[in-house]
Amino acid sequence: MSTEPIIDRDTYRSIKKMSREELQGFLMRYAENLTKDSPVIDLQKLEQDIKSIKGIGEKRLEEIMVIIEKHLGV
């Protein structure tokens, strides 16, 4: 199984040369960019919206939410 590298070789080399403070700043900026790219989902609101669909009962709603949470890694 081949996985795509998260960082390129040049970035890796520059990280190796960073001080602790520089690395911390880099990681904070990196994490900030990750959260900007990820949509925010309110699971309680989503659950209420799904619940409002005619024909979706409590049991089916629980099954759906388990699948959604699994895919979101919650």
Side-chain angles (χ1 to χ4, degrees):
M1 175 189 309
S2 173
T3 60
E4 192 71 26
I6 296 173
I7 57 173
D8 58 40
R9 189 76 181 145
D10 291 333
T11 304
Y12 173 72
R13 286 183 182 138
S14 67
I15 289 172
K16 284 177 53 174
K17 295 176 185 176
M18 289 181 185
S19 68
R20 186 187 62 79
E21 292 83 12
E22 291 170 326
L23 180 59
Q24 183 174 345
F26 172 81
L27 292 173
M28 294 301 287
R29 288 188 303 277
Y30 184 78
E32 212 172 89
N33 287 335
L34 287 177
T35 58
K36 286 180 186 174
D37 295 341
S38 301
V40 175
I41 297 175
D42 182 349
L43 290 178
Q44 291 176 336
K45 175 87 169 97
L46 178 63
E47 186 173 0
Q48 290 301 315
D49 289 346
I50 294 172
K51 193 177 198 177
S52 69
I53 297 172
K54 185 176 178 163
I56 302 287
E58 287 296 322
K59 180 79 172 152
R60 184 68 65 197
L61 175 63
E62 287 177 23
E63 293 171 1
I64 293 169
M65 291 306 294
V66 166
I67 292 170
I68 291 171
E69 290 172 355
K70 176 182 159 189
H71 283 273
L72 291 174
V74 176

